[in-house]
Amino acid sequence: MHNHFYRPVKGNIRTVLLAFFCIIFFCQNVYATKEIDSLLKVLDKAIADREGYTANKETRIDTIKKKLKNQGSLEDKYRLNNDIILEYQSFKCDSALAYIERNIQIAKDLNHADYLSESKLKLAFISAMSGLFTQAAEIFDTIHYDSLPLHLKVLYWWSHIRYNENLVKYSDSQKFERVYEQENKNSRDVLMGLLDPKGEMYLKEMAFKLKGDGDYTASAKIQEQLFKLAEPNSHGYAMSAMGLAMVYKELSNANLEEKYLILAAITDTRLAVKENESLLTLAIHLYNKGEVNRAYNYVRASLEDANFYNSRFRNAVIARTQPIIEATYLAKIEQQRKNLHLYALLISIFAVVLILSLYFLYRQIKVVSAAKKSLSQTNNQLISVNQRLDEANLIREKYIGYYINQCAVYLDKLDEYRRNVNRKIKAGQVEALQKLTTSTSTLEKDAQELYQDFDSTFLEVYPTFVDELNLLLREEERFSLKKG
């Protein structure tokens, strides 16, 4: 008995919970879609304002250069050159290389081994960023690693990792990709051995190591912590967002991948970062998603940034993707053009049909209008005929009434005359009877009454008869009715 009542309740609870989770999932998807749409609009605005961000970047660099002119000390010049290199290393690689060369010369003039090693490592890093991989490898070979202080050993391996990462992207070969990734893994292990396990840089490298080992969930957890600590609108913030996007790609979470790619692209664009990997990656993501228009705009912006940065490496990476996106975009434009021609043809045909329809409709309206006019005239004639029939009926009614009335009057007079004659015959009044029958006064009186009744009835039926008759007569011959 207990089981019969328990099972339906359990089934109902499961149904309610399933519906509840479905609603939550739907709401999350709707919110995520709206959030991504809003972020894409922000990115579109940032791309449209790129010239302003570039001008701001150049103004900051010019400010440092002005300070550099006023410095006489080689140490101060070296320090300010490093500030300029930091600004240029993701903005203009040629300028960054030029100021690194200046610092190499200053380090030689100061006979400062650490300055020289630091500048060479920066030279190797920028060379790799610009696609000069052979030169970068040669520079690494000239550095005496064992004599480097700890912070430069960290920079050495960090630069090595970036060098190998760029080689992977540049080579586009699975064979070499495995080799470079293994070298990267070895370099990262050495680097992490030099770092403080509680430091931010160690956590970053640990997240990349976990990602390389396939532990994407653990990597995402660390990178989410680092992203929360990153200062908004900074290059570190953009790099953290990019790292999260890549790990969420491996976790097949397309919404979060796209969200963090957009955040990275917005930040890089606002910071005038011309070595802009995030915007190109986002363009490829949107292209695979089917959003060809935005993908085309973003890949063109990436190409313009790469040309501005003057990186053969970045141009080579873009060159593998840009023609595909551009071809799809142009095919879409061509299809739209064909559709437009088809729509124009259909609209033209529709316009011709509409004009013909309007013409025939106008003809029909004219026919109907003429029919209505004829019908109106017929109706007016019918109304006139009906009015005349009504008048004739009125005349008949008047004359019939008059005739019946006169008959009744004369019947009464005859009956009275009969009784009068009968009385006189009974009384023997022969002379009075003779006198009564020979007199014409009664007949004249009756005739006069007949005429008056007829005139009265006629004028009642035709009240304008006399006036209408007078119009047909000369003025001196017209009738003038007296009162009564």
Side-chain angles (χ1 to χ4, degrees):
M1 181 65 70
H2 174 74
N3 288 338
H4 283 296
F5 285 99
Y6 175 73
R7 286 175 183 171
V9 172
K10 187 176 180 181
N12 289 338
I13 291 173
R14 286 178 178 173
T15 304
V16 171
L17 288 174
L18 180 61
F20 177 72
F21 286 122
C22 286
I23 291 171
I24 291 177
F25 180 74
F26 174 75
C27 292
Q28 286 177 338
N29 281 342
V30 170
Y31 174 77
T33 302
K34 288 184 177 179
E35 184 183 23
I36 286 173
D37 288 341
S38 299
L39 288 173
L40 284 171
K41 290 177 182 177
V42 174
L43 177 57
D44 291 341
K45 178 68 167 54
I47 290 173
D49 297 337
R50 277 188 306 159
E51 290 186 4
Y53 297 129
T54 300
N56 293 337
K57 181 84 168 181
E58 289 174 339
T59 300
R60 286 199 305 273
I61 294 172
D62 288 341
T63 302
I64 302 172
K65 287 180 179 179
K66 288 177 182 177
K67 292 180 182 179
L68 182 63
K69 288 181 179 179
N70 299 324
Q71 297 298 329
S73 166
L74 290 178
E75 291 278 352
D76 290 335
K77 286 183 178 181
Y78 182 87
R79 177 179 53 80
L80 289 172
N81 279 341
N82 273 340
D83 291 341
I84 295 172
I85 292 165
L86 183 64
E87 294 288 342
Y88 271 135
Q89 70 180 10
S90 60
F91 187 61
K92 284 184 179 180
C93 68
D94 290 344
S95 299
L97 291 171
Y99 277 89
I100 291 171
E101 292 291 351
R102 292 186 184 185
N103 266 0
I104 289 174
Q105 186 59 49
I106 291 174
K108 289 178 180 179
D109 292 342
L110 291 173
N111 196 24
H112 199 303
D114 289 349
Y115 281 1
L116 183 60
S117 297
E118 180 185 40
S119 298
K120 284 184 176 181
L121 287 172
K122 289 182 179 180
L123 182 62
F125 170 70
I126 299 299
S127 297
M129 293 287 287
S130 61
L132 303 173
F133 297 107
T134 303
Q135 292 86 333
E138 290 174 353
I139 294 168
F140 280 124
D141 291 339
T142 63
I143 296 173
H144 301 288
Y145 176 77
D146 293 335
S147 62
L148 294 176
L150 179 62
H151 73 281
L152 290 183
K153 286 181 178 179
V154 169
L155 180 59
Y156 178 89
W157 291 114
W158 183 88
S159 301
H160 252 289
I161 292 170
R162 304 288 88 79
Y163 167 79
N164 286 321
E165 285 177 347
N166 287 341
L167 271 176
V168 170
K169 296 170 186 174
Y170 184 77
S171 64
D172 194 30
S173 168
Q174 291 185 352
K175 177 183 176 181
F176 291 110
E177 186 176 323
R178 286 191 294 269
V179 174
Y180 299 140
E181 285 180 349
Q182 184 59 45
E183 287 185 7
N184 246 5
K185 186 176 180 181
N186 297 337
S187 298
R188 183 166 282 115
D189 289 340
V190 177
L191 175 60
M192 291 176 66
L194 300 173
L195 296 172
D196 179 5
K198 296 180 181 179
E200 182 179 335
M201 189 173 184
Y202 181 89
L203 290 175
K204 286 181 181 178
E205 296 304 325
M206 175 59 75
F208 290 129
K209 177 179 174 61
L210 290 169
K211 178 176 176 290
D213 293 339
D215 193 350
Y216 305 119
T217 303
S219 177
K221 187 175 180 180
I222 295 174
Q223 294 203 58
E224 283 173 356
Q225 294 173 354
L226 293 171
F227 180 76
K228 290 176 183 177
L229 295 174
E231 183 182 351
N233 295 319
S234 67
H235 191 56
Y237 181 88
M239 295 297 292
S240 294
M242 187 66 186
L244 270 173
M246 293 299 95
V247 78
Y248 277 123
K249 179 181 180 181
E250 298 297 338
L251 289 170
S252 300
N253 191 330
N255 284 336
L256 288 179
E257 177 193 355
E258 187 170 347
K259 173 186 174 181
Y260 287 109
L261 276 176
I262 297 169
L263 287 173
I266 290 171
T267 306
D268 282 339
T269 303
R270 287 175 173 174
L271 293 175
V273 174
K274 301 302 181 179
E275 204 285 310
N276 193 341
E277 183 182 1
S278 56
L279 192 59
L280 175 62
T281 309
L282 177 61
I284 297 170
H285 172 83
L286 292 175
Y287 173 77
N288 293 330
K289 190 179 174 182
E291 297 184 22
V292 179
N293 288 357
R294 266 203 170 100
Y296 176 74
N297 291 335
Y298 292 171
V299 80
R300 283 185 63 84
S302 297
L303 184 59
E304 289 172 6
D305 285 347
N307 289 333
F308 187 93
Y309 185 69
N310 196 20
S311 168
R312 288 181 294 175
F313 156 66
R314 186 59 59 190
N315 283 339
V317 173
I318 294 173
R320 289 198 290 265
T321 305
Q322 191 256 349
I324 300 171
I325 297 177
E326 186 170 354
T328 306
Y329 175 78
L330 293 176
K332 183 179 179 181
I333 295 297
E334 178 63 19
Q335 185 59 46
Q336 289 177 344
R337 187 184 65 81
K338 290 179 180 178
N339 291 342
L340 186 62
H341 286 168
L342 178 60
Y343 296 150
L345 178 62
L346 292 175
I347 290 171
S348 300
I349 294 171
F350 175 76
V352 172
V353 172
L354 181 62
I355 291 170
L356 291 174
S357 299
L358 290 174
Y359 171 74
F360 287 115
L361 182 62
Y362 173 73
R363 291 281 302 274
Q364 288 299 110
I365 289 173
K366 287 188 68 176
V367 171
V368 171
S369 178
K372 281 185 176 181
K373 187 175 181 181
S374 176
L375 183 61
S376 177
Q377 291 175 352
T378 303
N379 285 337
N380 290 334
Q381 291 174 359
L382 287 173
I383 290 170
S384 178
V385 170
N386 286 334
Q387 287 177 347
R388 289 198 294 271
L389 287 174
D390 290 341
E391 291 176 359
N393 288 334
L394 180 63
I395 293 170
R396 283 196 295 271
E397 290 173 2
K398 290 285 185 180
Y399 277 115
I400 289 171
Y402 170 74
Y403 172 75
I404 293 172
N405 181 61
Q406 288 300 108
C407 287
V409 169
Y410 283 121
L411 285 173
D412 290 341
K413 287 184 177 181
L414 286 174
D415 186 57
E416 184 181 355
Y417 186 76
R418 182 187 60 79
R419 288 196 298 269
N420 191 18
V421 169
N422 190 35
R423 283 196 301 270
K424 289 187 183 294
I425 291 174
K426 287 182 180 180
Q429 297 176 353
V430 178
E431 291 181 1
L433 183 61
Q434 185 180 6
K435 185 178 179 181
L436 178 64
T437 56
T438 57
S439 175
T440 60
S441 60
T442 301
L443 180 62
E444 291 174 356
K445 181 181 178 183
D446 291 341
Q448 187 61 34
E449 288 179 358
L450 175 64
Y451 295 151
Q452 286 183 348
D453 289 341
F454 177 81
D455 288 346
S456 176
T457 302
F458 186 86
L459 290 175
E460 186 177 351
V461 175
Y462 300 106
T464 61
F465 174 76
V466 177
D467 294 334
E468 291 176 1
L469 179 62
N470 284 336
L471 292 174
L472 301 175
L473 301 176
R474 288 193 290 269
E475 189 173 353
E476 65 274 10
E477 295 178 353
R478 291 177 180 173
F479 296 95
S480 177
L481 297 181
K482 298 177 180 178
K483 188 177 180 180

